[in-house]
Amino acid sequence: MSLNYTKKTISHFLHPQNLGSVKNADACVSIGNMVCGDQLSFSIKVKDGIIKDIKFLSFGCASNIATASVLTERAKGITLAKAKSLKWEKIVEDLGGLPNQKIHCSILAVEGLKKVIAEYEAKHPVPLVKLVKKKSKK
Ligand code: FES
């Protein structure tokens, strides 16, 4: 169990990556934790099923910012399917650990990513023809 922030967490908190809003985003969402009151907003740009750009805004604690920063680094350039399978445990591992009472910050970040992808997919449903072609290739 880690009781303090790691150097990497502090570095991402002080110098967050992908901070802001994506211009002409394909999807934007906000998510919050009712208990601590912290919030995150994510926006994404997607092309050919790949997250071309992702940014976040935070109204939260140091680990809220650090986990969203690491998460956006991981999510940028990968497929939506791969991004959906990202686990909060991996984000915590990337930061070299988080204090137990801050684990929920990483969960919030991963839930935010899943929410923005769901928003994108709701706005851009895969045409039935593409689904049928994909299935027949298997
Ligand atoms: Fe709740 Fe960090 S304390 S997201």
Side-chain angles (χ1 to χ4, degrees):
M1 179 177 82
S2 169
L3 294 174
N4 298 308
Y5 286 136
T6 62
K7 278 185 185 168
K8 193 166 178 186
T9 302
I10 292 168
S11 171
H12 273 277
F13 166 54
L14 294 176
H15 310 285
Q17 304 301 301
N18 305 307
L19 190 61
S21 301
V22 173
K23 215 175 175 186
N24 301 318
D26 292 318
C28 308
V29 298
S30 290
I31 190 166
N33 181 300
M34 297 283 278
V35 178
C36 68
D38 287 1
Q39 294 173 30
L40 277 171
S41 296
F42 287 98
S43 51
I44 56 172
K45 191 87 189 158
V46 178
K47 188 155 191 255
D48 300 328
I50 293 172
I51 299 177
K52 289 292 177 190
D53 201 6
I54 178 166
K55 292 189 184 296
F56 77 97
L57 291 170
S58 167
F59 182 80
C61 68
S63 46
N64 172 294
I65 294 167
T67 54
S69 174
V70 165
L71 181 75
T72 54
E73 277 189 331
R74 269 196 170 267
K76 199 184 272 192
I78 65 174
T79 64
L80 293 170
K82 226 174 183 182
K84 279 195 272 189
S85 70
L86 284 177
K87 303 269 186 268
W88 63 265
E89 292 92 335
K90 193 73 197 155
I91 301 307
V92 172
E93 192 184 308
D94 280 355
L95 290 170
L98 275 177
N100 274 356
Q101 62 271 35
K102 293 293 181 179
I103 292 293
H104 77 271
C105 312
S106 65
I107 295 170
L108 183 69
V110 169
E111 283 176 355
L113 176 64
K114 288 184 178 161
K115 190 174 175 185
V116 77
I117 292 171
E119 175 76 8
Y120 172 81
E121 289 178 336
K123 283 180 168 178
H124 305 85
V126 180
L128 199 55
V129 176
K130 269 193 178 177
L131 281 177
V132 170
K133 276 185 183 173
K134 213 174 186 180
K135 276 193 171 184
S136 62
K137 279 185 182 175
K138 286 181 181 178

